Amino acid sequence: MTFASSVELLVRQISHWTPARWRGHADAVRALVQVLADAGADAEGLPRRGVPTLPDTALADQVRVLAADLMAAHPPPDVLERVEADVTALRHALRDS
């Protein structure tokens, strides 16, 4: 599976969640958001920065935007593979919880 398709599956999985569904899961998605931001900064040769904390219901959009930024930075294939593995692991963990 590609990075883009894994991200799209995750976004579809979480984009319709209610605030109640986010309880207990938002921190895991926020951690992935930071991984995406860090990988993007590294690929662009920029310093890493903390990602702003948005409301839980905005996390799907935040994942989508940061994933697009990462892909636009054209990181090495191993970076996309590593981050895709993180996305897939989170998708499965959220599905099983």
Side-chain angles (χ1 to χ4, degrees):
M1 183 169 293
T2 67
F3 172 72
S5 60
S6 291
V7 168
E8 185 56 33
L9 287 172
L10 175 63
V11 167
R12 279 193 263 157
Q13 181 179 357
I14 65 175
S15 63
H16 65 280
W17 282 5
T18 64
R21 178 72 169 109
W22 278 107
R23 279 196 238 23
H25 302 291
D27 288 343
V29 178
R30 280 195 179 87
L32 177 67
V33 163
Q34 189 63 58
V35 166
L36 292 168
D38 290 346
D42 292 349
E44 293 181 36
L46 299 172
R48 292 180 173 190
R49 294 176 292 199
V51 177
T53 301
L54 299 180
D56 298 347
T57 54
L59 285 170
D61 290 332
Q62 200 172 26
V63 167
R64 182 180 284 126
V65 168
L66 288 169
D69 289 349
L70 174 57
M71 291 183 353
H74 304 289
D78 65 306
V79 171
L80 285 181
E81 289 170 9
R82 178 182 49 82
V83 179
E84 190 274 331
D86 293 339
V87 172
T88 298
L90 178 60
R91 277 186 27 248
H92 292 174
L94 294 174
R95 180 191 66 208
D96 296 338
S97 63

